[in-house]
Structure formats: structure tokens, C-alpha cells
Amino acid sequence: MRLPAVRLVRLSRIPYTELLALQERWLRRLQAEPGTEAGALLLCEPAGPVYTSGLRGGLTPEETARLRALGAEVRTTGRGGLATFHGPGQLLCHPVLDLRRLGLRLRTHVAALEACAVRLCEFQGLSGARARPPPYTGVWLGERKVCAIGVRCGRHITSHGLALNCSTDLVWFDHIVPCGLVGTGVTSLSEELQRHVTVDEVISPFLEAFKETYKCTLISEDSSN
């Protein structure tokens, strides 16, 4: 049986707005010709600090002004969930996928993203990584979240995805209540492994986990397409 092909677009370190712009182009491409291709996997590392809020909000105007005063960008997005942080040292994965081509529903797509992050943690030697039921969506090491997940889906086509902390400066999270979860913490692969883990280091094992979990092949595509 032939596996569906997903386009792999690696963007290295770029401004968050550029990731959103490319995501929008892929959304239009899939929406214009639904069912003709599986879609794309967009990977990048944010070039600067960005706080984002989701469909459920998460940031008041006063909080937004305070965060911008710290030197961070603040953006409202169409993903699910509340406020979170993106910045250097973090792997952002935005799968823009036609779920019908992959035989998935939205719930199984979210579970697959969690499974990819858990598998990556296992590849790095962190066997305790686990997904938790809502409202604790994402991947956790003990009581600390290492990977946040927030997606959007319209007409069976997904956008947004996951943010995995590799060597992220976790102090940025102190200025918000990440994902609206009071009393929980945030961690990174570097923090857990007690060594510096770069985004580049984890991309190869993450791609292996993605292919394994989504049962697809990955075809590299130039980021300008």
C-alpha cells in the first residue's frame, strides 16, 4: 500500500510572522484543490520572543501592553487554547494537512502530534514523557510541560500544531499563565537532560517520529513554494 506523501518545508530560524504567512499560503493551496494532496509539514525555530493567544483568548489589553514592554511580539491566532510563548530554542511544527488524505479525524490528529513529541522525548532518553487528558493537552514530564499543542481545523484541513522546548529561555513563561493552567510548570529538553539541546539536534528524530506516527512519507520542498 502506497503511503501518502507530505511535503517537508524546513525554515530554520525565522520570524514568527513568516511562518504564519507560509502557513496561510499552504492553507489556500489545499483549500483550492481539496483532496488532491496530503499537505505540508512546516518546521522552524522562532527568531525572536512571541506571545500568542488562541481562540479562547488568554491575554487582556493590559497584559498585552506589559508583554510588549518586555520586548516581545504579541499576536492573536486562530488556534485552539489560551496564551503561550514561542521563542529561540523552540521547535515549531505546523502541519498543514488534509486529514482525509491521511485517514485521520481532528482528535486523532491531536493525539498523533502528542505521540510524535513523546516519541522524540524517548529518542532523547526521557522515558517519562506522557500525554494527559484535557485540559492538559500537550506532552509532560512529571508536572511540567515540555511541548504545547494548539491546532485549528476547517474543512478537514489543519493548521498550527506544536511547540517543543529544546533550549528555550523558560523565564519568558514566568510572565504568563501558560495555556491557562495554574499550578503547573514548564520545562525543556535542555533542562531535563542537563545539557544544551539545539533545535537542529532534534529535527531528524522528530521527522522519524512523524513518519512513523502519521504513516506517511516526507518529500523535501523549497520553502519559497
Side-chain angles (χ1 to χ4, degrees):
M1 181 178 176
R2 187 175 182 182
L3 298 175
V6 173
R7 303 286 177 176
L8 170 62
V9 185
R10 292 181 59 169
L11 299 159
S12 66
R13 183 179 284 200
I14 62 168
Y16 185 72
T17 52
E18 290 187 22
L19 172 63
L20 294 184
L22 182 60
Q23 175 178 262
E24 184 60 31
R25 291 201 294 275
W26 268 98
L27 276 170
R28 290 198 300 267
R29 175 170 165 170
L30 294 186
Q31 290 166 351
E33 299 181 23
T36 58
E37 58 182 320
L41 173 62
L42 313 181
L43 295 180
C44 81
E45 177 181 0
V50 183
Y51 291 97
T52 65
S53 58
L55 292 173
R56 292 166 56 203
L59 294 173
T60 66
E62 293 76 17
E63 288 172 324
T64 296
R66 175 173 56 81
L67 296 174
R68 285 178 174 151
L70 297 172
E73 184 182 354
V74 181
R75 296 190 63 89
T76 300
T77 71
R79 61 164 173 77
L82 293 165
T84 194
F85 171 78
H86 303 309
Q90 192 179 70
L91 172 66
L92 284 189
C93 159
H94 280 208
V96 187
L97 303 174
D98 188 329
L99 294 182
R100 292 166 296 188
R101 295 277 296 180
L102 293 161
L104 298 174
R105 296 185 178 183
L106 179 57
R107 184 173 297 178
T108 49
H109 168 55
V110 172
L113 283 176
E114 291 174 327
C116 287
V118 168
R119 192 77 181 110
L120 172 60
C121 289
E122 291 172 346
F123 281 142
Q124 297 298 113
L126 296 170
S127 59
R130 62 192 174 106
R132 297 170 65 182
Y136 299 96
T137 303
V139 173
W140 300 74
L141 289 161
E143 293 300 312
R144 301 199 292 177
K145 181 183 281 191
V146 70
C147 177
I149 291 177
V151 302
R152 183 177 185 178
C153 186
R155 290 188 286 173
H156 307 284
I157 298 172
T158 69
S159 57
H160 297 279
L162 65 76
L164 178 73
N165 297 325
C166 299
S167 55
T168 319
D169 182 354
L170 301 178
V171 172
W172 288 101
F173 288 96
D174 293 341
H175 302 288
I176 59 172
V177 179
C179 304
L181 299 175
V182 177
T184 60
V186 180
T187 191
S188 68
L189 297 180
S190 295
E191 179 80 8
E192 297 296 324
L193 294 170
Q194 290 297 291
R195 65 176 181 84
H196 186 70
V197 180
T198 67
V199 171
D200 285 344
E201 177 184 335
V202 305
I203 285 180
S204 180
F206 178 81
L207 294 178
E208 287 303 313
F210 188 90
K211 290 186 292 185
E212 176 186 301
T213 304
Y214 280 83
K215 296 179 174 57
C216 68
T217 59
L218 292 171
I219 302 173
S220 293
E221 175 158 316
D222 188 277
S223 61
S224 62
N225 290 342

